[in-house]
Amino acid sequence: DPQEQASVRFHMQKEWRELFSSYCVNIGQPLDADSWLSSVEEMEKRESLAKDAARMARRKMMMGIALDQDTQNPDSGVFIERSATQHTTS
C-alpha cells in the first residue's frame, strides 16, 4: 500500500531527525534546526526530481524501443498509417 509506505517513511525520517538533533545537543554540537531542516527538505526535493527525470528517461527509451519494434513488425504491432479495417481486409 503506497499510502502506508509513505506514512512509515515519514515517521522513520521524523525519528531519525529527532535522534540526530538529540545527539548533537548531547555532545554540545550547535545545531541551527531551521537551516538543517531546510537543507534536508532541499535534498529530498532534489532526490525526487532526479527520480522523476530517471523515470521519464526510461519511459522515453522504452517508447522508442517499442515504436522501433512496431515499425519493423507492422503486422503484429501498432498500426502505422493504416486503419484497423485495412488490416483485417488484407
Side-chain angles (χ1 to χ4, degrees):
D1 179 23
Q3 187 174 5
E4 185 176 327
Q5 289 175 349
S7 177
V8 168
R9 182 175 182 203
F10 171 80
H11 289 292
M12 291 297 291
Q13 288 174 340
K14 181 180 174 192
E15 287 291 322
W16 166 247
R17 289 175 184 154
E18 288 175 2
L19 284 170
F20 181 71
S21 63
S22 294
Y23 175 74
C24 289
V25 168
N26 287 338
I27 64 168
Q29 174 67 38
L31 179 66
D32 181 352
D34 290 335
S35 295
W36 181 63
L37 288 174
S38 293
S39 70
V40 169
E41 289 173 1
E42 181 64 27
M43 277 186 358
E44 289 173 348
K45 179 182 171 186
R46 288 179 185 182
E47 178 186 19
S48 178
L49 290 173
K51 284 182 181 179
D52 288 346
R55 190 177 302 118
M56 291 301 288
R58 181 167 167 33
R59 280 187 190 150
K60 186 176 180 180
M61 179 191 69
M62 295 303 287
M63 278 301 270
I65 291 171
L67 288 172
D68 186 50
Q69 288 176 351
D70 287 342
T71 57
Q72 293 174 13
N73 303 306
D75 292 333
S76 61
V78 175
F79 303 120
I80 300 171
E81 296 183 15
R82 284 199 294 179
S83 69
T85 56
Q86 287 175 325
H87 180 66
T88 56
T89 59
S90 27

